[in-house]
Amino acid sequence: MDLRQIRHFVAVAEELHFGRAAERLGMTQPPLSQSIKALEAELGLPLFERTRRSVSLTAVGRDWLPHARRVLQEAGALPQVARRLSRGEVGRVRLSFISFVSFSFLPALVRRFKERFPEVELVLSEATSDVQIAELLDGALDAGIIIAPPRGALHSPLRYRPVETDKLVVAVPEEWVISGRVSPHGGKLDFDALRDLPVILFPRQSAPVLHDLVTRYYAERDAMPVAGQQAVQMQTIINLVSAGLGIAFVPSTMRRLIRPGVVYFRLAEQQPEIEIGFAWRSSGASAALKHLADSVDEMFPHFPASG
């Protein structure tokens, strides 16, 4: 079965006359009749009841007609769909992100993109940077918002552009402040106030940049963090702080996550800083993905252009 046969069927079904249908199709009647017979033979059932005086649809033919019309309509739209795909007006982009950007720029980015390209499906998922990079390399993901890896650490098929920087703050169990176990000064905490407190850390294999940033902060002060519970998700870490299991160094954006029993403080010394960026595959990028990268460029013009 092909579109030509379906087009023949629809013409005969609408005209209920082989001669008029053949004239409408710009062909002679014998090949049209042969085409309909071949279609019926392939389906294994009659679509028309024929007499010398009339042609009518069978019950199956009558019910099949709207489906055949829809197939022709969709086939007719295919060239326009291809052109719109090439322009990035329709399609799908799979975007993953590290959890804490949902408290910062991610909602604005999604809103901006959907306002401009409402028919592009934006499939969102949350994942740590290491998982995102692996999925980008495997082709299971189109783009990711990640914590910047060390310079030169990204594989060559991937492109990266910085988006923003964020300083780390300390999330502390509120009860520890009330009891005097932690004593802030002017809304800030000195390192000496933290030195002997258990620290809830990301596992290094999941977030090496964050893990190393915290351990380096301690090492620069001739200390090591007191190992506490480990967790992968930022919200889980904040919940563990709320339960009194330790302190945590988190991006300042997380202060927007209000949890009973948790207070946030800046560090009195220089605050460790992370870079967040947009990563995507450089080869085979769809027009819709390029539009998303352009939206990132427009939102963050103070950083270098994509590349």
Side-chain angles (χ1 to χ4, degrees):
M1 184 189 309
D2 56 33
L3 284 175
R4 176 183 57 85
Q5 289 176 301
I6 296 173
R7 190 174 292 110
H8 292 172
F9 163 73
V10 170
V12 176
E14 291 177 348
E15 297 292 343
L16 293 179
H17 191 282
F18 276 85
R20 289 195 299 270
E23 184 178 353
R24 168 176 155 181
L25 292 166
M27 61 189 299
T28 59
Q29 184 173 332
L32 175 59
S33 297
Q34 292 170 6
S35 175
I36 296 297
K37 287 179 181 178
L39 178 60
E40 290 176 320
E42 182 177 349
L43 295 174
L45 49 88
L47 297 171
F48 296 98
E49 295 177 351
R50 305 165 179 82
T51 68
R52 290 189 175 183
R53 293 176 175 267
S54 67
V55 175
S56 61
L57 284 162
T58 64
V60 171
R62 186 170 56 253
D63 291 341
W64 199 52
L65 178 58
H67 296 279
R69 284 172 172 153
R70 184 163 57 250
V71 167
L72 292 179
Q73 183 179 14
E74 292 175 352
L78 282 176
Q80 178 63 13
V81 170
R83 287 188 284 271
R84 296 190 69 198
L85 282 167
S86 72
R87 296 193 297 264
E89 297 171 357
V90 294
R92 184 178 70 154
V93 176
R94 299 162 298 177
L95 173 66
S96 195
F97 57 93
I98 46 179
S99 60
F100 60 87
V101 298
S102 61
F103 295 97
S104 57
F105 65 85
L106 179 67
L109 174 63
V110 172
R111 182 177 64 249
R112 172 190 286 258
F113 183 75
K114 293 299 291 184
E115 285 174 351
R116 295 180 59 187
F117 304 100
E119 294 186 63
V120 174
E121 181 186 7
L122 195 57
V123 182
L124 299 174
S125 60
E126 181 181 318
T128 54
S129 299
D130 62 319
V131 171
Q132 291 188 53
I133 291 171
E135 291 185 346
L136 283 168
L137 292 170
D138 289 342
L141 195 63
D142 297 311
I145 298 172
I146 63 174
I147 296 174
R151 296 299 178 189
L154 272 182
H155 298 267
S156 57
L158 303 184
R159 296 181 66 186
Y160 171 85
R161 61 101 71 222
V163 169
E164 68 173 12
T165 56
D166 199 350
K167 297 182 184 298
L168 298 189
V169 297
V170 186
V172 179
E174 186 177 30
E175 180 57 36
W176 291 10
V177 179
I178 295 173
S179 66
R181 185 176 181 182
V182 174
S183 301
H185 299 283
K188 298 181 181 181
L189 284 172
D190 294 321
F191 177 72
D192 287 341
L194 308 173
R195 182 185 299 270
D196 299 322
L197 299 177
V199 181
I200 301 169
L201 278 174
F202 274 94
R204 193 180 188 282
Q205 64 269 25
S206 298
V209 174
L210 267 176
H211 185 280
D212 291 352
L213 197 61
V214 174
T215 54
R216 185 164 58 249
Y217 175 76
Y218 276 76
E220 289 171 350
R221 289 154 182 83
D222 297 320
M224 291 181 60
V226 178
Q229 179 67 46
Q230 291 192 340
V232 172
Q233 299 298 330
M234 280 288 180
Q235 294 190 48
T236 302
I237 288 176
I238 297 301
N239 287 334
L240 293 174
V241 172
S242 176
L245 295 179
I247 63 171
F249 292 79
V250 299
S252 63
T253 300
M254 292 304 295
R255 289 182 295 187
R256 297 175 186 173
L257 177 61
I258 307 299
R259 281 285 184 274
V262 178
V263 288
Y264 300 93
F265 296 104
R266 287 184 297 165
L267 293 164
E269 299 87 357
Q270 183 177 2
Q271 294 173 273
E273 190 174 78
I274 57 171
E275 179 183 286
I276 299 99
F278 183 75
W280 71 105
R281 288 187 66 91
S282 57
S283 60
S286 67
L289 175 56
K290 292 175 182 175
H291 288 323
L292 180 61
D294 289 342
S295 296
V296 173
D297 287 341
E298 291 166 5
M299 279 189 67
F300 301 96
H302 53 286
F303 278 99
S306 299

